[in-house]
Short mmCIF file of all heavy atoms in Angstrom, two decimals:
data_model
loop_
_atom_site.label_atom_id
_atom_site.label_comp_id
_atom_site.label_asym_id
_atom_site.label_seq_id
_atom_site.Cartn_x
_atom_site.Cartn_y
_atom_site.Cartn_z
N ILE A 1 0.87 -1.21 -0.01
CA ILE A 1 0.02 0.01 0.08
C ILE A 1 0.91 1.21 -0.01
O ILE A 1 1.97 1.26 0.65
CB ILE A 1 -0.94 0.04 1.21
CG1 ILE A 1 -0.19 -0.06 2.53
CG2 ILE A 1 -1.99 -1.05 1.04
CD1 ILE A 1 -1.08 -0.01 3.75
N VAL A 2 0.45 2.28 -0.75
CA VAL A 2 1.09 3.54 -0.79
C VAL A 2 0.53 4.43 0.23
O VAL A 2 -0.75 4.64 0.27
CB VAL A 2 0.98 4.20 -2.20
CG1 VAL A 2 1.65 5.51 -2.21
CG2 VAL A 2 1.58 3.29 -3.26
N ASN A 3 1.32 4.88 1.10
CA ASN A 3 0.82 5.76 2.25
C ASN A 3 2.01 6.40 2.96
O ASN A 3 3.17 6.01 2.85
CB ASN A 3 -0.07 5.01 3.26
CG ASN A 3 0.79 3.94 3.99
OD1 ASN A 3 1.01 2.89 3.44
ND2 ASN A 3 1.29 4.26 5.13
N SER A 4 1.67 7.41 3.75
CA SER A 4 2.69 8.05 4.62
C SER A 4 2.66 7.31 5.94
O SER A 4 1.60 6.93 6.50
CB SER A 4 2.26 9.58 4.83
OG SER A 4 3.17 10.15 5.65
N ALA A 5 3.85 6.98 6.50
CA ALA A 5 3.87 6.14 7.65
C ALA A 5 3.25 6.84 8.89
O ALA A 5 2.82 6.10 9.81
CB ALA A 5 5.38 5.87 7.99
N ASP A 6 3.13 8.13 8.89
CA ASP A 6 2.57 8.81 10.09
C ASP A 6 1.08 8.88 10.01
O ASP A 6 0.44 9.47 10.90
CB ASP A 6 3.16 10.23 10.22
CG ASP A 6 2.84 11.12 8.99
OD1 ASP A 6 2.90 10.65 7.89
OD2 ASP A 6 2.63 12.37 9.35
N ALA A 7 0.39 8.32 8.98
CA ALA A 7 -1.05 8.32 8.82
C ALA A 7 -1.44 7.10 8.08
O ALA A 7 -1.87 7.12 6.91
CB ALA A 7 -1.54 9.59 8.11
N LEU A 8 -1.34 5.91 8.76
CA LEU A 8 -1.63 4.66 8.13
C LEU A 8 -3.15 4.55 7.86
O LEU A 8 -3.93 4.70 8.78
CB LEU A 8 -1.15 3.50 8.97
CG LEU A 8 0.41 3.43 9.26
CD1 LEU A 8 0.71 2.34 10.26
CD2 LEU A 8 1.12 3.28 7.94
N PRO A 9 -3.47 4.33 6.66
CA PRO A 9 -4.96 4.28 6.26
C PRO A 9 -5.52 2.84 6.55
O PRO A 9 -6.15 2.18 5.67
CB PRO A 9 -4.96 4.53 4.73
CG PRO A 9 -3.63 3.90 4.32
CD PRO A 9 -2.67 4.11 5.44
N LEU A 10 -5.39 2.49 7.79
CA LEU A 10 -5.84 1.15 8.24
C LEU A 10 -6.59 1.19 9.52
O LEU A 10 -6.35 2.10 10.36
CB LEU A 10 -4.51 0.24 8.44
CG LEU A 10 -3.58 0.18 7.26
CD1 LEU A 10 -2.22 -0.37 7.69
CD2 LEU A 10 -4.18 -0.76 6.17
N ARG A 11 -7.46 0.19 9.76
CA ARG A 11 -8.19 0.20 10.97
C ARG A 11 -7.34 -0.20 12.10
O ARG A 11 -6.30 -0.93 11.93
CB ARG A 11 -9.48 -0.63 10.85
CG ARG A 11 -9.26 -2.04 10.69
CD ARG A 11 -10.58 -2.75 10.64
NE ARG A 11 -10.54 -4.11 10.08
CZ ARG A 11 -9.94 -5.15 10.73
NH1 ARG A 11 -9.49 -4.99 11.87
NH2 ARG A 11 -9.86 -6.33 10.12
N SER A 12 -7.70 0.27 13.29
CA SER A 12 -6.88 -0.05 14.48
C SER A 12 -7.01 -1.58 14.78
O SER A 12 -7.95 -2.27 14.56
CB SER A 12 -7.56 0.64 15.73
OG SER A 12 -7.46 2.01 15.59
N GLY A 13 -5.84 -2.09 15.22
CA GLY A 13 -5.73 -3.49 15.61
C GLY A 13 -5.82 -4.51 14.61
O GLY A 13 -6.16 -5.70 14.82
N CYS A 14 -5.48 -4.24 13.39
CA CYS A 14 -5.73 -5.23 12.23
C CYS A 14 -4.50 -6.04 11.87
O CYS A 14 -4.58 -6.91 11.02
CB CYS A 14 -6.26 -4.44 10.97
SG CYS A 14 -5.19 -3.20 10.33
N PHE A 15 -3.33 -5.83 12.59
CA PHE A 15 -2.17 -6.62 12.28
C PHE A 15 -1.64 -7.34 13.51
O PHE A 15 -1.68 -6.79 14.60
CB PHE A 15 -1.02 -5.83 11.69
CG PHE A 15 -1.28 -5.39 10.29
CD1 PHE A 15 -1.94 -4.15 9.98
CD2 PHE A 15 -0.95 -6.24 9.16
CE1 PHE A 15 -2.20 -3.81 8.64
CE2 PHE A 15 -1.21 -5.87 7.92
CZ PHE A 15 -1.82 -4.68 7.65
N ASP A 16 -1.06 -8.52 13.34
CA ASP A 16 -0.51 -9.32 14.45
C ASP A 16 0.87 -8.66 14.88
O ASP A 16 1.19 -8.79 15.99
CB ASP A 16 -0.39 -10.76 14.04
CG ASP A 16 -1.66 -11.43 13.77
OD1 ASP A 16 -2.58 -11.31 14.58
OD2 ASP A 16 -1.83 -12.03 12.70
N SER A 17 1.60 -8.23 13.86
CA SER A 17 2.82 -7.54 14.20
C SER A 17 3.05 -6.47 13.19
O SER A 17 2.72 -6.59 12.01
CB SER A 17 4.01 -8.50 14.33
OG SER A 17 4.36 -9.01 13.09
N VAL A 18 3.63 -5.38 13.60
CA VAL A 18 3.93 -4.18 12.80
C VAL A 18 5.45 -3.87 12.91
O VAL A 18 5.94 -3.73 14.05
CB VAL A 18 3.06 -2.99 13.12
CG1 VAL A 18 3.35 -1.83 12.17
CG2 VAL A 18 1.62 -3.39 13.14
N TRP A 19 6.15 -3.78 11.80
CA TRP A 19 7.54 -3.67 11.73
C TRP A 19 7.97 -2.33 11.07
O TRP A 19 7.31 -1.98 10.18
CB TRP A 19 8.16 -4.77 10.99
CG TRP A 19 8.05 -6.14 11.59
CD1 TRP A 19 6.91 -6.87 11.76
CD2 TRP A 19 9.12 -6.96 12.19
NE1 TRP A 19 7.21 -8.03 12.42
CE2 TRP A 19 8.50 -8.11 12.65
CE3 TRP A 19 10.45 -6.73 12.31
CZ2 TRP A 19 9.29 -9.10 13.24
CZ3 TRP A 19 11.24 -7.74 12.97
CH2 TRP A 19 10.62 -8.90 13.39
N THR A 20 9.12 -1.84 11.35
CA THR A 20 9.87 -0.89 10.56
C THR A 20 11.28 -1.18 10.65
O THR A 20 11.80 -1.36 11.80
CB THR A 20 9.43 0.57 10.84
OG1 THR A 20 10.08 1.38 9.87
CG2 THR A 20 9.94 1.02 12.24
N ILE A 21 11.98 -1.16 9.56
CA ILE A 21 13.44 -1.45 9.49
C ILE A 21 14.07 -0.29 8.75
O ILE A 21 13.89 -0.16 7.55
CB ILE A 21 13.70 -2.83 8.83
CG1 ILE A 21 12.92 -3.90 9.53
CG2 ILE A 21 15.18 -3.07 8.70
CD1 ILE A 21 12.98 -5.26 8.85
N GLY A 22 14.84 0.49 9.49
CA GLY A 22 15.60 1.56 8.85
C GLY A 22 14.80 2.69 8.28
O GLY A 22 15.29 3.43 7.47
N LEU A 23 13.65 3.03 8.93
CA LEU A 23 12.86 4.16 8.48
C LEU A 23 13.00 5.33 9.40
O LEU A 23 13.08 6.49 8.94
CB LEU A 23 11.39 3.74 8.43
CG LEU A 23 10.42 4.93 8.17
CD1 LEU A 23 10.60 5.52 6.80
CD2 LEU A 23 9.00 4.50 8.39
N ILE A 24 13.06 5.17 10.69
CA ILE A 24 12.92 6.18 11.62
C ILE A 24 14.06 7.26 11.53
O ILE A 24 13.79 8.45 11.73
CB ILE A 24 12.82 5.62 13.09
CG1 ILE A 24 11.69 4.69 13.25
CG2 ILE A 24 12.81 6.68 14.17
CD1 ILE A 24 10.33 5.25 12.97
N HIS A 25 15.17 6.89 11.09
CA HIS A 25 16.29 7.89 10.96
C HIS A 25 16.13 8.76 9.69
O HIS A 25 16.90 9.59 9.50
CB HIS A 25 17.67 7.26 10.97
CG HIS A 25 18.00 6.36 9.78
ND1 HIS A 25 17.64 5.05 9.63
CD2 HIS A 25 18.83 6.72 8.78
CE1 HIS A 25 18.10 4.69 8.46
NE2 HIS A 25 18.84 5.58 7.89
N HIS A 26 15.06 8.50 8.99
CA HIS A 26 14.76 9.37 7.83
C HIS A 26 13.68 10.44 8.20
O HIS A 26 13.32 11.28 7.45
CB HIS A 26 14.26 8.59 6.70
CG HIS A 26 15.27 7.71 6.05
ND1 HIS A 26 16.20 8.20 5.09
CD2 HIS A 26 15.64 6.46 6.23
CE1 HIS A 26 16.99 7.22 4.74
NE2 HIS A 26 16.68 6.18 5.44
N LEU A 27 13.22 10.41 9.48
CA LEU A 27 12.05 11.21 9.89
C LEU A 27 12.46 12.10 11.06
O LEU A 27 13.12 11.71 11.99
CB LEU A 27 10.88 10.28 10.36
CG LEU A 27 10.44 9.29 9.44
CD1 LEU A 27 9.36 8.35 10.10
CD2 LEU A 27 9.87 9.87 8.18
N PRO A 28 12.03 13.41 10.93
CA PRO A 28 12.23 14.30 12.14
C PRO A 28 11.45 13.73 13.34
O PRO A 28 10.51 12.98 13.14
CB PRO A 28 11.72 15.62 11.60
CG PRO A 28 10.81 15.29 10.54
CD PRO A 28 11.31 14.02 9.89
N ASP A 29 11.76 14.27 14.48
CA ASP A 29 11.11 13.73 15.77
C ASP A 29 9.62 13.65 15.64
O ASP A 29 8.99 12.70 16.08
CB ASP A 29 11.60 14.51 16.95
CG ASP A 29 12.97 14.29 17.34
OD1 ASP A 29 13.59 13.40 16.79
OD2 ASP A 29 13.49 14.95 18.27
N HIS A 30 8.91 14.73 15.20
CA HIS A 30 7.46 14.75 15.34
C HIS A 30 6.89 13.69 14.36
O HIS A 30 5.85 13.04 14.70
CB HIS A 30 6.90 16.16 15.02
CG HIS A 30 7.02 16.54 13.54
ND1 HIS A 30 8.20 16.98 13.06
CD2 HIS A 30 6.09 16.69 12.54
CE1 HIS A 30 7.99 17.34 11.77
NE2 HIS A 30 6.82 17.12 11.54
N LEU A 31 7.43 13.44 13.22
CA LEU A 31 6.98 12.42 12.25
C LEU A 31 7.37 11.03 12.83
O LEU A 31 6.53 10.11 12.64
CB LEU A 31 7.48 12.61 10.87
CG LEU A 31 6.93 13.79 10.13
CD1 LEU A 31 7.62 13.93 8.72
CD2 LEU A 31 5.42 13.73 9.99
N ALA A 32 8.53 10.86 13.37
CA ALA A 32 8.96 9.58 14.00
C ALA A 32 7.97 9.19 15.06
O ALA A 32 7.52 8.06 15.15
CB ALA A 32 10.39 9.70 14.48
N LEU A 33 7.70 10.16 16.01
CA LEU A 33 6.78 9.87 17.07
C LEU A 33 5.37 9.43 16.55
O LEU A 33 4.79 8.44 17.01
CB LEU A 33 6.54 11.08 17.96
CG LEU A 33 7.58 11.44 18.97
CD1 LEU A 33 7.45 12.79 19.54
CD2 LEU A 33 7.58 10.35 20.06
N GLN A 34 4.88 10.19 15.55
CA GLN A 34 3.59 9.84 14.96
C GLN A 34 3.53 8.49 14.29
O GLN A 34 2.65 7.71 14.35
CB GLN A 34 3.05 10.93 14.09
CG GLN A 34 1.64 10.74 13.51
CD GLN A 34 0.66 10.59 14.65
OE1 GLN A 34 0.74 11.17 15.77
NE2 GLN A 34 -0.41 9.82 14.42
N THR A 35 4.69 8.17 13.61
CA THR A 35 4.74 6.89 12.92
C THR A 35 4.78 5.76 13.86
O THR A 35 4.05 4.74 13.65
CB THR A 35 6.13 6.83 12.03
OG1 THR A 35 6.00 7.82 11.06
CG2 THR A 35 6.34 5.53 11.46
N ILE A 36 5.52 5.87 14.92
CA ILE A 36 5.59 4.80 15.96
C ILE A 36 4.17 4.64 16.60
O ILE A 36 3.76 3.50 16.85
CB ILE A 36 6.71 5.02 16.99
CG1 ILE A 36 8.03 4.99 16.31
CG2 ILE A 36 6.63 4.03 18.08
CD1 ILE A 36 9.16 5.60 17.07
N ARG A 37 3.51 5.74 16.87
CA ARG A 37 2.11 5.67 17.50
C ARG A 37 1.19 5.02 16.53
O ARG A 37 0.31 4.26 16.92
CB ARG A 37 1.68 7.11 17.78
CG ARG A 37 2.37 7.68 19.02
CD ARG A 37 1.96 9.01 19.28
NE ARG A 37 2.70 9.56 20.51
CZ ARG A 37 3.18 10.80 20.62
NH1 ARG A 37 3.02 11.69 19.68
NH2 ARG A 37 3.78 11.16 21.75
N GLU A 38 1.34 5.33 15.17
CA GLU A 38 0.47 4.69 14.28
C GLU A 38 0.70 3.16 14.07
O GLU A 38 -0.18 2.36 14.03
CB GLU A 38 0.68 5.31 12.81
CG GLU A 38 -0.05 6.59 12.59
CD GLU A 38 -1.59 6.35 12.54
OE1 GLU A 38 -2.12 5.99 11.47
OE2 GLU A 38 -2.26 6.55 13.58
N MET A 39 1.97 2.83 14.24
CA MET A 39 2.31 1.40 14.18
C MET A 39 1.61 0.64 15.40
O MET A 39 1.09 -0.41 15.16
CB MET A 39 3.84 1.23 14.30
CG MET A 39 4.54 1.58 13.03
SD MET A 39 6.38 1.63 13.15
CE MET A 39 6.67 -0.09 13.55
N HIS A 40 1.70 1.27 16.55
CA HIS A 40 1.07 0.75 17.69
C HIS A 40 -0.44 0.68 17.52
O HIS A 40 -1.08 -0.33 17.92
CB HIS A 40 1.41 1.63 18.92
CG HIS A 40 0.95 1.03 20.20
ND1 HIS A 40 -0.27 1.44 20.81
CD2 HIS A 40 1.46 0.15 21.02
CE1 HIS A 40 -0.40 0.75 21.93
NE2 HIS A 40 0.59 0.06 22.17
N ARG A 41 -1.04 1.70 17.01
CA ARG A 41 -2.47 1.68 16.79
C ARG A 41 -2.95 0.60 15.94
O ARG A 41 -4.00 -0.04 16.20
CB ARG A 41 -2.93 3.04 16.16
CG ARG A 41 -4.41 3.19 15.92
CD ARG A 41 -4.78 4.45 15.17
NE ARG A 41 -4.28 4.49 13.84
CZ ARG A 41 -4.77 3.85 12.79
NH1 ARG A 41 -5.91 3.09 12.92
NH2 ARG A 41 -4.27 4.01 11.57
N VAL A 42 -2.31 0.23 14.80
CA VAL A 42 -2.70 -0.77 13.89
C VAL A 42 -2.40 -2.21 14.33
O VAL A 42 -2.75 -3.13 13.74
CB VAL A 42 -2.31 -0.50 12.39
CG1 VAL A 42 -2.92 0.83 11.91
CG2 VAL A 42 -0.83 -0.64 12.23
N CYS A 43 -1.60 -2.25 15.42
CA CYS A 43 -1.27 -3.59 15.91
C CYS A 43 -2.33 -4.04 16.83
O CYS A 43 -2.93 -3.30 17.61
CB CYS A 43 0.06 -3.49 16.68
SG CYS A 43 0.68 -5.03 17.29
N ARG A 44 -2.69 -5.32 16.76
CA ARG A 44 -3.79 -5.86 17.56
C ARG A 44 -3.31 -5.98 19.06
O ARG A 44 -2.14 -6.14 19.32
CB ARG A 44 -4.18 -7.25 17.07
CG ARG A 44 -3.16 -8.36 17.34
CD ARG A 44 -3.72 -9.71 17.09
NE ARG A 44 -2.70 -10.75 17.17
CZ ARG A 44 -2.13 -11.15 18.25
NH1 ARG A 44 -2.44 -10.75 19.43
NH2 ARG A 44 -1.20 -12.10 18.28
#
């Protein structure tokens, strides 16, 4: 899916595990925080 990591177009709790490998160091703090929060949101 094409999307911005800080606004995942997915319903909450729909994945068993959510990963990111080598992305966070490309994001400023505010986007990194929102991305990690979004990952947590879509994880069951």
Side-chain angles (χ1 to χ4, degrees):
I1 54 174
V2 177
N3 64 277
S4 179
D6 64 321
L8 298 172
L10 303 162
R11 67 179 163 70
S12 298
C14 61
F15 286 93
D16 297 311
S17 68
V18 183
W19 295 69
T20 188
I21 302 172
L23 172 65
I24 301 301
H25 71 279
H26 292 276
L27 305 174
D29 287 355
H30 72 284
L31 290 178
L33 281 168
Q34 186 57 30
T35 295
I36 297 165
R37 288 178 180 139
E38 279 291 279
M39 291 172 60
H40 186 265
R41 181 185 66 78
V42 301
C43 186
R44 71 167 171 77

